[in-house]
C-alpha cells in the first residue's frame, strides 16, 4: 500500500473518530492506530540506522 494512501485513510478515520465521540470502539481503535504508528516509527529508525552504519563502513574502507 502506498504511504500517501495509508496516510489519507488514517487521517480520514481520525476525523471520523473525533466527530463520533464513540468512547468504546474509538479508544480501542486509537490504541491500535497508536501502536501501528509506533511500529512504523521504529522501522524508520532501524532503516536510518542501517543506512548510516552502511555509510560508515564504506568510509572506513570496510
Amino acid at each position: 500500500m502506498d504511504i500517501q494512501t495509508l496516510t489519507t485513510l488514517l487521517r480520514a478515520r481520525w476525523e471520523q473518530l473525533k466527530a463520533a465521540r464513540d468512547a468504546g470502539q474509538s479508544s480501542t481503535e486509537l490504541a491500535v492506530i497508536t501502536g501501528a504508528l509506533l511500529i512504523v516509527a521504529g522501522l524508520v529508525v532501524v532503516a536510518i540506522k542501517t543506512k548510516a552504519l552502511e555509510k560508515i563502513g564504506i568510509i572506513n574502507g570496510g
Side-chain angles (χ1 to χ4, degrees):
M1 178 178 271
D2 183 24
I3 191 73
Q4 290 179 333
T5 305
L6 181 60
T7 304
T8 304
L9 290 173
L10 284 174
R11 187 174 293 144
R13 187 60 186 145
W14 178 258
E15 292 300 323
Q16 287 177 350
L17 289 172
K18 282 179 24 182
R21 303 282 186 208
D22 181 2
Q25 183 181 1
S26 65
S27 62
T28 302
E29 196 162 358
L30 287 175
V32 170
I33 290 171
T34 303
L37 290 175
L38 288 172
I39 290 171
V40 169
L43 291 173
V44 168
V45 168
V46 169
I48 291 170
K49 185 176 179 180
T50 302
K51 193 67 169 176
L53 291 175
E54 180 181 303
K55 295 284 185 184
I56 291 170
I58 291 172
I59 292 169
N60 290 336

